[in-house]
Amino acid sequence: MAEDSIYQALEVLRRGGVILYPTDTVWGIGCDATNEQAVARIYDLKQSVNKKSMLVLLDQIDKVSLYIQKVPEVAWQLYEADKPLTLILPGACAVAPNLIPDEGTLGIRIPDHEFCNKLIHKLNRPLVSTSANISGKPSPMSFSEIAKEIVDGVDLVIDRAWEGRPTGKASSIVKVGVNGEIEIIRP
C-alpha cells in the first residue's frame, strides 16, 4: 500500500506532473528536474520566478557529478558533514534550463528520507524540491499548515504515512565556489 505511493508518484512525474511530498525537513513541491514545463508549473504554483528558491534532491552523493560539471573537492567533504545540508554548487548541467539561476549554480541535497530516496532511485533523475508555500509566505512546518491553493495545485499529494520524523525546518545552505570558497547562506 505505501509502495503504491511511489509508483503513483513515478507515473505523475514521468508525464510532467507536480507532487506534494514529505522530506526529512519540511513538505516539498517537486517534479522531474529535467522537465522544463514541470519546473515552470512549480514557479506558477508558488507565484515566484526566483530560480534560487528551488533545489534538487538526489538519492546518492556520487550522482552529484552528473549535474555539476566539476564538483569542488570541498563539496564531497561537506556532504559527509551534518545533515540536512543543501550545497549550492557552480557549473550546473543536465537539468531544466529554467531551474538554473544566472550564475549557473544548482542547489543539491541528499535527503535522509525513505520515500524521497526510493522515489529518486526509481525515477533515476533529480527531483525538484522547494518548500510547499506561496512565495513570501512562511514555510509550512507540517502538512496541516500547507495552503489549500498549494494542495489543490499539484497533481498528487503523497500519503502522510510517508512523513516519518521531519526536522520541521529547512536545511542549512552552503554555497561553494569554483575554487572551494565557502559562504554560509543559511546556518
Side-chain angles (χ1 to χ4, degrees), residues 13 15-19 29-56 94-101 106 126-130 155:
L13 294 171
R15 66 170 197 260
V18 173
I19 64 171
I29 305 169
C31 68
D32 173 350
T34 66
N35 185 317
E36 194 168 356
Q37 290 76 27
V39 170
R41 281 191 57 207
I42 293 178
Y43 287 127
D44 289 346
L45 182 60
K46 285 186 64 85
Q47 301 172 19
S48 172
V49 291
N50 180 3
K51 293 180 180 181
K52 295 179 182 181
S53 70
M54 293 208 278
L55 59 107
V56 300
V95 295
N98 59 343
L99 192 56
I100 302 171
L106 183 64
L127 180 66
V128 164
S129 187
T130 185
D155 301 305

Side-chain angles (χ1 to χ4, degrees), residues 76-185:
W76 302 117
Q77 297 163 13
L78 290 169
Y79 274 123
E80 297 298 330
D82 284 341
K83 299 199 170 62
L85 174 66
T86 298
L87 292 185
I88 300 174
L89 300 169
C93 62
V95 295
N98 59 343
L99 192 56
I100 302 171
D102 292 341
E103 66 268 13
T105 58
L106 183 64
I108 299 178
R109 189 162 77 79
I110 315 299
D112 182 14
H113 193 269
E114 183 182 11
F115 174 81
C116 293
N117 291 334
K118 284 183 175 187
L119 178 62
I120 296 162
H121 180 75
K122 290 186 183 304
L123 181 64
N124 199 27
R125 293 186 182 142
L127 180 66
V128 164
S129 187
T130 185
S131 57
N133 63 313
I134 302 295
S135 184
K137 302 285 185 188
S139 295
M141 297 301 121
S142 65
F143 184 84
S144 62
E145 295 178 16
I146 299 171
K148 183 176 179 354
E149 59 260 49
I150 295 290
V151 174
D152 292 345
V154 299
D155 301 305
L156 178 67
V157 177
I158 299 304
D159 188 328
R160 287 193 277 178
W162 281 103
E163 192 168 40
R165 296 187 185 328
T167 63
K169 63 178 189 159
S171 67
S172 298
I173 301 175
V174 174
K175 185 174 185 178
V176 180
V178 176
N179 297 315
E181 36 314 315
I182 294 173
E183 178 185 354
I184 297 172
I185 305 292

